[in-house]
Every structure is written in C-alpha cells, then in structure tokens.
Amino acid sequence: MTDTLERARISGQSRGEVIREICRHLAPFQTGERPITGDTVIAKDLTIDSLAIMDMVMELEDHFDISIPMNVVAEIHTVDQLADTIQKLCARR
C-alpha cells in the first residue's frame, strides 16, 4: 500500500484527491444517509447500473488521463479498488 501511495504522489495524484473525484461521480447514486467510503461496493451499495458505471469510468479516465482496460474494470468492486487502479495507472505515466 505504501508503494501505491508513493507512486500516486509522484504522479501528482494523492489518494485523497482520487477518492474525492470518485465520490463526486458516485454521489448522485448514493442511497440514504449512508456515506460513500473505500469499502462501498459500487454496483451493490449504490443505485448505479452498468451503463452508468461505464460512463463514470470513462469520465475518470479523461480526468486522470489514463485508460483502464476492460478486463480490469470487470474486477473492480469497491471504491478502494477503483482508487488503487487509478493510482497505479497514474504512476505508470
């Protein structure tokens, strides 16, 4: 985890910045008063469908200037997993 955080700092994106951007995109799909956290399961805990998830992923790709492969997207379930993926890809730039 420390290695991931260090790479994110080098690429100019702190974990907090990545999480905030993800939460900004997920906020319209929040259910009730339950906060969106790193443990939030995107497709289960929120009122978001697969098309909206793909739209969000494309917007995040544009924002962070990365490309998340489709096979990787299929393996992402939580906000933390999405943040980790974005940070890893940002570090590779």
Side-chain angles (χ1 to χ4, degrees):
M1 176 96 169
T2 303
D3 188 36
T4 301
L5 292 174
E6 184 60 30
R7 280 185 278 163
R9 280 190 203 99
I10 291 168
S11 71
Q13 300 297 327
S14 74
R15 182 158 183 86
E17 290 170 329
V18 173
I19 293 284
R20 274 191 296 278
E21 187 64 20
I22 292 168
C23 288
R24 186 178 72 77
H25 285 278
L26 292 176
F29 305 102
Q30 190 173 357
T31 56
E33 298 298 316
R34 189 175 193 181
I36 297 172
T37 67
D39 294 328
T40 299
V41 179
I42 297 167
K44 181 181 174 192
D45 296 336
L46 305 171
T47 60
I48 189 169
D49 62 27
S50 59
L51 180 58
I53 291 172
M54 293 311 299
D55 286 342
M56 177 195 64
V57 167
M58 288 188 299
E59 289 174 13
L60 290 169
E61 288 175 326
D62 288 345
H63 180 83
F64 292 106
D65 194 28
I66 58 170
S67 179
I68 304 174
M70 290 301 296
N71 62 320
V72 174
V73 171
E75 298 298 318
I76 295 170
H77 301 287
T78 67
V79 171
D80 272 341
Q81 289 172 335
L82 180 55
D84 289 344
T85 300
I86 290 170
Q87 287 184 296
K88 287 176 188 173
L89 292 171
C90 285
R92 291 182 188 164
R93 288 187 283 145

